[in-house]
């Protein structure tokens, strides 16, 4: 895969410099106890630093590691040192590999690779790692809509129904959007632990082209994470009502401009005629005096 660096709703400033980042993206599933390796590389010779971040459902990005160019080894944050390992791919000095050993349910998260070039921070698309639990709970996630095609500016409302077993801990439902170049975590909703079925909705008042993508309803319950089938949302363009409003507004504006222009033309024309009329009367009076004065000598 080859993507341009993009920001991913981090609470930090990012600057786009056109650097190309190649990172595993989309979704990866694994079982508890498995090992997974995530790959990231950057083809910019000015690369100064590699970083990896973990973002759990409903959480904020947390730094896993950083590796400065030329440093003999990476710096791994204390919480991740036991099972997270960072290495450089043999023969590829600008390729970074993140390996997670002995996967646990809490490792289910989105993993972003970040690079620093000229002081700017840029990120790959991110990949969501789903760790399948071995629990025998009967749970399900059913999304109501398989697809939705909307015009720009129209409202979007998605819903899903989850069925979860009664167990210790909270039941939360989240919305993940996987677009062309990023994975965004939408705020989750808590379901009452005493309620087996729970229906949650996601609403966007006015969609924009950036809202296009596949939306997944995700249930986190009983130490397990379940995904719905996904709803593909396509944004085709402005809707009819917005086009009508735009057309009426444009027409009204043109009418006002034309009316003002016509009033100016009429005013200038009237002023010109008035000025010309006064000039003609003055010349006629002068001519009349010239004719009348000589006639007085005839008497």
């Amino acid at each position: 895969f080859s993507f341009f660096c993009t920001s991913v709703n981090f609470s930090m400033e990012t600057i786009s410099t056109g650097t190309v980042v190649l990172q595993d993206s989309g979704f990866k599933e694994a079982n508890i106890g498995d090992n997974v390796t995530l790959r990231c590389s950057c083809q910019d010779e000015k690369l100064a630093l590699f970083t990896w971040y973990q973002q759990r459902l409903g959480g904020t990005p947390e730094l896993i590691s950083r590796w400065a160019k030329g440093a003999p080894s990476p710096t791994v944050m204390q919480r991740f040192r036991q099972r997270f390992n960072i290495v450089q791919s043999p023969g590829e000095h600008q390729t970074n590999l993140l390996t997670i050993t002995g996967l646990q349910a809490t490792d289910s998260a989105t993993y972003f690779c970040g690079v620093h070039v000229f002081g700017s921070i840029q990120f790959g698309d991110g990949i969501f790692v789903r760790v399948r639990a071995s629990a025998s709970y009967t749970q399900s996630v059913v999304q109501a809509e398989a697809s939705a095609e909307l015009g720009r500016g129209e409202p979007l409302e998605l819903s899903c129904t989850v069925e979860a077993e009664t167990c210790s801990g909270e039941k939360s439902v989240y919305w993940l959007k996987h677009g062309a170049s990023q994975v965004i975590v939408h705020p989750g909703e808590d379901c009452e632990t005493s309620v087996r079925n729970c229906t949650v909705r996601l609403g966007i008042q006015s969609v924009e082209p950036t809202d296009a993508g596949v939306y997944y309803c995700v249930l986190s319950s009983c130490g397990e994470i379940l995904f719905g089938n996904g709803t593909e949302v396509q944004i085709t363009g402005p809707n009819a009502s917005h086009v009508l409003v735009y057309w009426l507004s444009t027409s009204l504006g043109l009418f006002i401009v034309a009316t003002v222009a016509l009033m100016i033309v009429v005013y200038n024309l009237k002023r010109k005629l008035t000025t010309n009329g006064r000039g003609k009367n003055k010349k006629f009076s002068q001519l009349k005096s010239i004719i009348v004065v000589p006639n007085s000598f005839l008497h």
Side-chain angles (χ1 to χ4, degrees):
F1 300 97
S2 177
F3 302 97
F4 286 97
C5 299
T6 54
S7 62
V8 288
N9 285 0
F10 279 22
S11 57
M12 60 181 71
E13 183 179 358
T14 61
I15 304 174
S16 176
T17 61
T19 301
V20 178
V21 173
L22 296 89
Q23 181 195 354
D24 294 333
S25 62
F27 300 90
K28 180 187 288 289
E29 290 191 336
N31 296 316
I32 285 183
D34 288 350
N35 302 334
V36 296
T37 298
L38 307 179
R39 177 188 177 92
C40 176
S41 62
C42 184
Q43 303 305 313
D44 196 319
E45 294 295 332
K46 302 178 182 64
L47 169 69
L49 179 69
F50 265 114
T51 57
W52 281 97
Y53 288 84
Q54 179 195 73
Q55 185 177 16
R56 292 180 179 176
L57 288 171
T60 57
E62 186 175 357
L63 180 65
I64 299 173
S65 66
R66 61 167 65 96
W67 195 341
K69 187 176 181 180
S73 60
T75 299
V76 181
M77 302 300 102
Q78 180 66 37
R79 190 176 77 81
F80 298 97
R81 288 179 184 173
Q82 186 174 358
R83 297 183 297 105
F84 288 67
N85 187 32
I86 310 294
V87 298
Q88 286 186 344
S89 181
E92 299 181 65
H93 298 293
Q94 306 211 142
T95 298
N96 217 241
L97 302 178
L98 166 63
T99 299
I100 309 173
T101 60
L103 280 172
Q104 300 176 4
T106 54
D107 295 328
S108 291
T110 302
Y111 293 86
F112 294 101
C113 170
V115 297
H116 294 226
V117 178
F118 280 136
S120 66
I121 306 174
Q122 300 180 1
F123 299 91
D125 297 339
I127 181 170
F128 189 91
V129 176
R130 178 205 168 191
V131 182
R132 291 188 294 260
S134 59
S136 59
Y137 298 112
T138 302
Q139 305 186 106
S140 64
V141 178
V142 179
Q143 291 188 227
E145 305 86 1
S147 63
E149 186 172 314
L150 301 170
R152 182 176 183 177
E154 289 187 303
L156 169 66
E157 182 173 315
L158 302 178
S159 65
C160 82
T161 301
V162 300
E163 181 178 349
E165 294 284 349
T166 301
C167 58
S168 60
E170 295 181 351
K171 292 186 294 186
S172 296
V173 181
Y174 301 87
W175 289 93
L176 284 176
K177 190 201 83 171
H178 181 63
S181 60
Q182 59 186 343
V183 176
I184 300 177
V185 179
H186 289 268
E189 298 186 29
D190 291 331
C191 298
E192 295 182 19
T193 55
S194 59
V195 178
R196 183 181 178 87
N197 295 329
C198 179
T199 299
V200 295
R201 292 176 174 81
L202 170 68
I204 300 177
Q205 187 174 2
S206 178
V207 297
E208 296 293 334
T210 53
D211 293 318
V214 181
Y215 290 76
Y216 293 91
C217 182
V218 185
L219 168 66
S220 175
S221 174
C222 303
E224 190 173 14
I225 291 180
L226 295 177
F227 277 72
N229 293 328
T231 300
E232 183 177 5
V233 175
Q234 297 179 350
I235 312 300
T236 58
N239 60 32
S241 61
H242 281 213
V243 172
L244 179 60
V245 170
Y246 174 79
W247 182 84
L248 290 175
S249 301
T250 303
S251 300
L252 179 60
L254 292 176
F255 174 76
I256 293 174
V257 172
T259 302
V260 173
L262 181 61
M263 292 175 64
I264 295 175
V265 170
V266 170
Y267 172 77
N268 289 334
L269 181 60
K270 183 178 180 180
R271 184 179 180 184
K272 184 176 181 181
L273 292 175
T274 302
T275 303
N276 290 341
R278 290 176 179 173
K280 289 181 179 180
N281 290 337
K282 185 176 181 181
K283 291 180 180 179
F284 179 74
S285 300
Q286 292 175 348
L287 179 61
K288 183 177 180 181
S289 64
I290 293 173
I291 296 174
V292 171
V293 171
N295 284 344
S296 64
F297 290 100
L298 296 176
H299 293 83

